[in-house]
Amino acid sequence: MPLYIGIDLGTQGACVLAVDSAGTVQARAERAFPAATLRAPQPGWFEQSPLAWREAVLGALGEISQALGSRRAEVAAVAACGTSGTLCLVDASGEPLGEAIMYADTRATVEAEEAAAAWQGLVDKVGYTISSSYALPRLLWVRAHEPERFARTRWALSPADLVAGWLSGVWGISDWTNMLKTGYDTVATAWPSEALDRLGLDLRILPRVQAPGAAIGPLQREVAEAFGLPPSALVASGATDGTAAQLASGAAAPGQWNTTIGTTLVLKGVSRRIIVDPLGRVYCHRHPDGFWLPGGASSTGADCLAQRFSAEDLAALDAAALSLSPTPLTVYPLARRGERFPFVRPDAEGFELGTARSTAERYAAHLEGIACVERLAYDTVSALGAEVGDAVYTTGGGTRGRSFTQIRADLTGRAMRLAAVPEAALGAAILAASAATGQSVTAMTEAMVHIVAEVPPRAEQRVAYEAVYERFVSACRERGYIE
């Protein structure tokens, strides 16, 4: 039976899965990044080392190969996903030029205004504007502040593109989900030359763009030999981590939505029509098989738990959280300055209102805060005219805690549906399978994703959680984050 490898290049590390045609995991490997990989040299900056990424990805791939043993000869294709909006600059040979400027970096606020002005004529067509969370303003920032680095740049790529290049040896190719935030026109499926000309940006620095799950080429010989993989195995275009996680969740039909809780919180849905948001909170990816994939990526998520409770027993805190929730506290769990969804505020800062009586209560309040952001996100997309069903397909590391999943169901008022393998790496493997088989991404999703649990909201808790949400919304209004 053929096997497909999916690689998720996250913020904290790399996860690699090898799965069969039914989506059953045959091997798994994870490699964490060293702490020094995460850098914040100035307030609002957030950088990572692509060299550390490469070491982690190749190390995990080696573990996968060893675990598969003789079955490594059955690997038919590989694809990768990575963070959306992260800017990676490489030279003509694919070598990284300095640190990657990450999705949560807020340095390019001035350049974002410049890019948004040039983009204004496209807003009604493509459904979104440019903000400081996009890679395009970051590219303009490098041109203005690091001209020598910019002059050496051959390609402006995403993290997933780097992985594809390391494996295939082919550079200058990306997919239309990863390039949306670099200014790619997903309606025309072309780079908008007129808008980019206004910015004085040479189109030659931008990669050729194709559909997620389209073939790039076979594994380069050195990689195939190093890991004992078939040289005929295809490397396919990947996607953003949010798009890959949506595929892994099983949300495949119009009206179905996925929330991925990882380091950040990402919403993705399926829509028959493009959703237009002039404020830039929501953007629409194009699905490889038709339809549109509206969504948004918050700067909040489980990162706050890792930062604020790293010294605690998280399993014990999660076990206690449900008995302590709803709490009297109000938390907006933003770990770094700046928010991009469900509102765009580069100056946003997190807050904790009230005094926790214990670490466990403070932890429970943070779970509520993440769920409040999720609820506000769904209220936002609904107000823009998106069809949102009564259930949420959910993925990511944040789904592992039963208490958290129940709190999210209670606060959003929607059932939480959990897939057997709720990880973005499975979504990347689905794209690899589509490339190898020639089957549609939708067909491969239906074949490889299996819903194993559903957690409904508790009706008896509805009033209490409405009060939690109303306090949260009121606090955001007081700070001018929402109207």
Side-chain angles (χ1 to χ4, degrees):
M1 179 182 291
L3 300 178
Y4 309 104
I5 292 178
I7 300 171
D8 177 23
L9 185 56
T11 307
Q12 306 298 329
C15 174
V16 182
L17 296 180
V19 303
D20 61 22
S21 298
T24 304
V25 176
Q26 303 299 312
R28 174 196 302 272
E30 297 184 48
R31 286 286 183 97
F33 302 141
T37 301
L38 302 170
R39 297 180 64 250
Q42 295 189 39
W45 290 30
F46 183 25
E47 301 177 342
Q48 283 194 319
S49 167
L51 298 179
W53 295 349
R54 182 165 60 192
E55 182 178 353
V57 167
L58 296 182
L61 191 59
E63 290 183 31
I64 287 286
S65 176
Q66 185 174 15
L68 289 176
S70 62
R71 293 203 66 192
R72 67 180 67 131
E74 299 172 39
V75 173
V78 58
C81 65
T83 53
S84 172
T86 295
L87 177 66
C88 308
L89 302 180
V90 302
D91 63 18
S93 64
E95 278 301 304
L97 298 173
E99 305 289 88
I101 303 179
M102 298 297 288
Y103 57 88
D105 190 288
T106 59
R107 73 183 72 178
T109 53
V110 173
E111 290 78 11
E113 294 177 0
E114 179 187 358
W119 189 259
Q120 191 58 41
L122 291 166
V123 171
D124 291 341
K125 173 187 174 184
V126 300
Y128 58 89
T129 188
I130 303 293
S131 74
S132 60
S133 69
Y134 280 44
L136 179 58
R138 294 175 180 133
L139 183 58
L140 300 178
W141 184 93
V142 173
R143 184 179 66 179
H145 297 273
E146 299 179 352
E148 292 184 4
R149 180 184 180 192
F150 186 83
R152 295 171 57 204
T153 297
R154 178 61 186 91
W155 303 110
L157 301 174
S158 76
D161 304 332
L162 293 190
V163 177
W166 294 331
L167 299 180
S168 68
V170 178
W171 295 95
I173 295 180
S174 189
D175 71 277
W176 59 50
T177 68
N178 273 301
M179 285 299 107
L180 180 147
K181 289 189 175 181
T182 310
Y184 187 71
D185 183 341
T186 54
V187 176
T189 58
W191 289 107
S193 56
E194 185 175 342
L196 297 177
D197 282 347
R198 292 194 196 101
L199 296 170
L201 196 61
D202 190 341
L203 292 177
R204 289 177 295 180
I205 202 174
L206 302 174
R208 177 167 65 85
V209 179
Q210 58 189 31
I216 293 174
L219 288 172
Q220 59 177 320
R221 181 175 55 81
E222 293 84 354
V223 172
E225 291 178 353
F227 297 109
L229 298 174
S232 59
L234 284 175
V235 178
S237 292
T240 62
D241 51 2
T243 301
Q246 179 180 354
L247 297 176
S249 77
Q256 294 180 339
W257 284 75
N258 158 246
T259 303
T260 299
I261 305 283
T263 301
T264 59
L265 183 153
V266 181
L267 257 68
K268 293 285 184 186
V270 185
S271 175
R272 292 183 177 88
R273 64 181 184 86
I274 195 167
I275 302 299
V276 176
D277 180 18
L279 297 182
R281 300 162 297 180
V282 174
Y283 47 86
C284 276
H285 286 306
R286 177 186 286 271
H287 194 286
D289 304 334
F291 297 128
W292 289 94
L293 302 175
S298 174
S299 295
T300 63
D303 190 27
C304 66
L305 307 179
Q307 289 199 29
R308 297 172 186 173
F309 301 93
S310 60
E312 307 295 334
D313 183 343
L314 295 185
L317 291 178
D318 187 78
L322 202 56
S323 64
L324 297 171
S325 182
T327 73
L329 310 174
T330 302
V331 175
Y332 170 39
L334 186 64
R336 296 180 175 85
R337 192 168 187 265
E339 181 60 282
R340 49 191 177 149
F341 179 68
F343 48 83
V344 179
R345 285 294 296 261
D347 60 338
E349 296 181 338
F351 54 77
E352 296 183 40
L353 306 180
T355 302
R357 292 168 291 187
S358 66
T359 299
E361 185 178 62
R362 182 173 180 246
Y363 179 84
H366 275 72
L367 299 186
E368 292 170 357
I370 299 169
C372 283
V373 172
E374 183 178 12
R375 164 90 176 263
L376 182 59
Y378 279 115
D379 287 352
T380 299
V381 297
S382 296
L384 291 170
E387 177 187 355
V388 181
D390 295 331
V392 170
Y393 295 76
T394 187
T395 52
T399 65
R400 295 170 184 166
R402 172 72 189 204
S403 292
F404 190 18
T405 302
Q406 184 64 68
I407 289 170
R408 290 173 55 212
D410 293 336
L411 258 162
T412 63
R414 293 181 166 89
M416 296 287 149
R417 291 179 178 167
L418 285 79
V421 187
E423 300 174 56
L426 176 64
I430 289 171
L431 294 174
S434 177
T437 64
Q439 297 293 310
S440 70
V441 172
T442 299
M444 297 312 302
T445 300
E446 292 173 350
M448 298 171 71
V449 177
H450 310 283
I451 303 301
V452 294
E454 180 168 307
V455 179
R458 297 172 295 174
E460 69 274 15
Q461 293 285 2
R462 183 178 62 84
V463 173
Y465 278 108
E466 280 296 318
V468 172
Y469 183 61
E470 287 172 7
R471 292 199 309 267
F472 173 80
V473 170
S474 177
C476 288
R477 285 201 180 106
E478 288 175 4
R479 289 158 176 78
Y481 296 162
I482 59 177
E483 296 182 356

